[in-house]
Amino acid sequence: MPAIPPLVGPVGRCIAIKDLAVAMAGKRVESGSRIAAGNVAGADSSLMARFRRAGLVTLGRTATPEFAYSTTTEGVLYGATRNPWDPTRTPGGSSGGSGAAVAAGIVPIAHATDAAGSIRVPAASNGLFGLKPTRGRVSMGPDADEVFNGLAVHGVLSRSVRDSATLLDLVQGPETGDPYAAQQPERPYAQETHRSPGRLRIGVLTRPWGARAVDATIVDAALRSAVLAESLGHRVEEVQVGLGIDWQEFILANARLWSTNLVTWIDAFAAAFERPVDATTVEPEMLASYAYGQQVSGAEFVHALAMRNSVARAIGQYFAEYDLLLTPTLPELPILLGTYAEGAEGADGLGWLRQLFHRSPFTAAFNVAGTPAMSVPLETDPATGLPIGIQFAAGYGREDVLFRVAGQLEQAAPWAHRTPVVWAGRHDNT
């Protein structure tokens, strides 16, 4: 594996590791939950071994909501994580701790995972670049072949496109025993960031699946980004994109997959630490999701798996005609801490998943389809100065196209000069 080039940022090769899905030998991995408090990994996971071989120095763990089951990071175990741009607001989730750490300049890059937007949501919330790779691009081994039945992937958050591309070069590729792997890229992704993408056909979608309202400032930002893409020579037009199934069916199937996986994780930690599964160890939303998952039948689970195929076929058909899809990453600016669950108080497991997808309706389809997508910090809100992320999605295995476009956008509309109010380095204007 080649040596990693220097990373942009004040602390060089340092990386922070999300408290989920990556095991560091002798270090805690608690998945943001009291039921897993004190859990210590016995060995490095495959990804951690690749981080070490790349010469990265681990600075510490970053916060996650309990079992990554939210797009805000306000867990009971370690408390709420705050957004460096406005500490009264969420940094997103579930990789919110990683997003806050990179945005604040503590590290140039941080590990993240993404099962429904958990790389892209913190990227958008914190003014960062974040790319969710193709399913099978980065190994989940050796303790798992898939997480959330293939919906979840590993990735990173960074301030620059180059850093994300370089890290993906260093960690991508299968491990022995992986059930499948994405086709290897023709050249390093770091090289793609300097290559012309050519003239691409880009669809624009500003009305999300499920038809929830999108704030006007977000729609305006997406449309300005579409104009920018057009000015760079791309063919841009508004589109409608089908999922292959009804939105409520999509939510139901995801709830069944998520909650049944949750049951196995909670039961394993309960048995390992001889802890009860109750309000002293698990947060209310997760208790509701745990109870819901216990009631899902084998047949319902198999039907939920079939949903992946329906969505993948529909999304694949779109990318047979278009190179990219442009959407807002989020339908609203980062919300105030403590408000995420408004309207879903006391919800069951299905209701909580519906709330999660209501908060982030543009992102989950690409987890189900297994296709890559990225959030690019192209815009800011004129009234508040808060960052606005724009999502670009591509067909299966086409991270190369995304990195080419990301490099082009970064050059045309640079964002590196923007820093939040909470910043570990020197502000440009001081």
Side-chain angles (χ1 to χ4, degrees), residues 397-409:
R398 297 316 307 265
E399 289 96 329
D400 56 344
V401 176
L402 290 177
F403 277 123
R404 289 173 204 159
V405 170
Q408 183 184 55
L409 293 169

Side-chain angles (χ1 to χ4, degrees), residues 295-339:
Q295 301 303 313
V296 175
S297 70
E300 288 171 334
F301 180 79
V302 172
H303 283 304
L305 288 175
M307 176 271 301
R308 293 185 315 174
N309 179 62
S310 298
V311 174
R313 302 294 177 180
I315 295 293
Q317 182 58 47
Y318 169 82
F319 287 121
E321 300 178 36
Y322 290 84
D323 298 296
L324 298 176
L325 178 66
L326 184 161
T327 78
T329 306
L330 289 169
E332 57 194 349
L333 295 171
I335 60 174
L336 293 172
L337 291 169
T339 65

Side-chain angles (χ1 to χ4, degrees), residues 33-37 66-67 265-266 269-270 273 275-277 281-282:
S33 180
R34 289 168 293 168
I35 203 165
E66 192 167 37
F67 295 110
W265 302 337
I266 289 178
F269 284 121
F273 293 103
R275 290 171 178 159
V277 181
T281 59
V282 181

Side-chain angles (χ1 to χ4, degrees), residues 48-59:
M48 191 64 222
R50 293 192 179 203
F51 283 151
R52 294 192 196 278
R53 289 199 298 269
L56 293 172
V57 177
T58 302
L59 190 63

Side-chain angles (χ1 to χ4, degrees), residues 209-210 241-255 257 303-315 357 364-365 368-369:
W209 298 286
V241 184
L243 284 179
I245 60 172
D246 175 78
W247 179 245
Q248 295 305 319
E249 292 180 74
F250 181 82
I251 293 174
L252 176 62
N254 273 279
L257 293 178
H303 283 304
L305 288 175
M307 176 271 301
R308 293 185 315 174
N309 179 62
S310 298
V311 174
R313 302 294 177 180
I315 295 293
F357 283 11
V368 174

Side-chain angles (χ1 to χ4, degrees), residues 184-425:
Q184 293 294 288
E186 291 185 6
R187 61 183 61 84
Y189 292 125
Q191 293 181 16
E192 298 291 4
T193 65
H194 303 292
R195 290 172 59 86
S196 170
R199 187 169 191 258
L200 302 177
R201 190 177 187 191
I202 303 175
V204 177
L205 180 72
T206 58
R207 182 181 174 90
W209 298 286
R212 71 148 284 174
V214 179
D215 289 355
T217 189
I218 303 295
V219 173
D220 290 346
L223 294 178
R224 286 195 300 271
S225 297
V227 171
L228 173 62
E230 193 168 41
S231 75
L232 294 171
H234 303 298
R235 178 181 172 186
V236 179
E237 58 192 82
E238 292 194 37
V239 295
Q240 297 295 320
V241 184
L243 284 179
I245 60 172
D246 175 78
W247 179 245
Q248 295 305 319
E249 292 180 74
F250 181 82
I251 293 174
L252 176 62
N254 273 279
R256 287 170 172 170
L257 293 178
W258 284 51
S259 63
T260 49
N261 278 271
L262 181 69
V263 169
T264 65
W265 302 337
I266 289 178
D267 282 348
F269 284 121
F273 293 103
E274 298 182 343
R275 290 171 178 159
V277 181
D278 60 25
T280 68
T281 59
V282 181
E283 296 172 33
E285 296 84 4
M286 294 306 93
L287 279 177
S289 300
Y290 176 82
Y292 184 83
Q294 289 179 310
Q295 301 303 313
V296 175
S297 70
E300 288 171 334
F301 180 79
V302 172
H303 283 304
L305 288 175
M307 176 271 301
R308 293 185 315 174
N309 179 62
S310 298
V311 174
R313 302 294 177 180
I315 295 293
Q317 182 58 47
Y318 169 82
F319 287 121
E321 300 178 36
Y322 290 84
D323 298 296
L324 298 176
L325 178 66
L326 184 161
T327 78
T329 306
L330 289 169
E332 57 194 349
L333 295 171
I335 60 174
L336 293 172
L337 291 169
T339 65
Y340 186 86
E342 287 182 355
E345 298 87 348
D348 65 3
L350 175 59
W352 181 249
L353 204 284
R354 182 177 290 114
Q355 179 73 356
L356 194 158
F357 283 11
H358 174 76
R359 292 295 190 187
S360 183
F362 288 105
T363 53
F366 307 109
N367 296 84
V368 174
T371 53
M374 64 183 180
S375 182
V376 186
L378 291 177
E379 291 286 339
T380 57
D381 175 45
T384 64
L386 290 170
I388 297 174
I390 304 300
Q391 179 176 239
F392 292 82
Y396 189 89
R398 297 316 307 265
E399 289 96 329
D400 56 344
V401 176
L402 290 177
F403 277 123
R404 289 173 204 159
V405 170
Q408 183 184 55
L409 293 169
E410 188 177 32
Q411 184 174 14
W415 55 80
H417 62 284
R418 300 184 204 141
T419 53
V421 294
V422 179
W423 175 245

Side-chain angles (χ1 to χ4, degrees), residues 27-274:
K27 303 296 184 181
R28 291 188 182 190
V29 53
E30 299 169 309
S31 301
S33 180
R34 289 168 293 168
I35 203 165
N39 181 57
V40 175
D44 283 350
S45 62
S46 299
L47 180 57
M48 191 64 222
R50 293 192 179 203
F51 283 151
R52 294 192 196 278
R53 289 199 298 269
L56 293 172
V57 177
T58 302
L59 190 63
R61 289 184 300 154
T62 60
T64 177
E66 192 167 37
F67 295 110
Y69 221 106
S70 176
T71 52
T72 189
T73 305
E74 302 179 49
V76 171
L77 181 62
Y78 292 116
T81 301
R82 298 179 180 273
N83 191 317
W85 293 88
D86 179 347
T88 68
R89 296 177 183 265
T90 178
S94 63
S95 307
S98 291
V102 176
I106 298 170
V107 287
I109 199 160
H111 165 254
T113 63
D114 193 317
S118 292
I119 291 172
R120 292 157 288 158
V121 171
S125 300
N126 294 283
L128 303 174
F129 179 78
L131 183 143
K132 178 198 86 69
T134 294
R135 181 182 298 147
R137 178 69 66 204
V138 180
S139 177
M140 288 287 181
D143 292 334
D145 57 357
E146 294 182 327
V147 175
F148 280 131
N149 300 106
L151 305 187
V153 296
H154 286 297
V156 295
L157 288 158
S158 65
R159 290 179 59 80
S160 74
V161 175
R162 187 204 69 173
D163 283 359
S164 281
T166 299
L167 252 293
L168 187 55
D169 283 331
L170 293 171
V171 302
Q172 67 90 22
E175 292 282 343
T176 300
D178 283 353
Y180 53 78
Q183 183 177 355
Q184 293 294 288
E186 291 185 6
R187 61 183 61 84
Y189 292 125
Q191 293 181 16
E192 298 291 4
T193 65
H194 303 292
R195 290 172 59 86
S196 170
R199 187 169 191 258
L200 302 177
R201 190 177 187 191
I202 303 175
V204 177
L205 180 72
T206 58
R207 182 181 174 90
W209 298 286
R212 71 148 284 174
V214 179
D215 289 355
T217 189
I218 303 295
V219 173
D220 290 346
L223 294 178
R224 286 195 300 271
S225 297
V227 171
L228 173 62
E230 193 168 41
S231 75
L232 294 171
H234 303 298
R235 178 181 172 186
V236 179
E237 58 192 82
E238 292 194 37
V239 295
Q240 297 295 320
V241 184
L243 284 179
I245 60 172
D246 175 78
W247 179 245
Q248 295 305 319
E249 292 180 74
F250 181 82
I251 293 174
L252 176 62
N254 273 279
R256 287 170 172 170
L257 293 178
W258 284 51
S259 63
T260 49
N261 278 271
L262 181 69
V263 169
T264 65
W265 302 337
I266 289 178
D267 282 348
F269 284 121
F273 293 103
E274 298 182 343

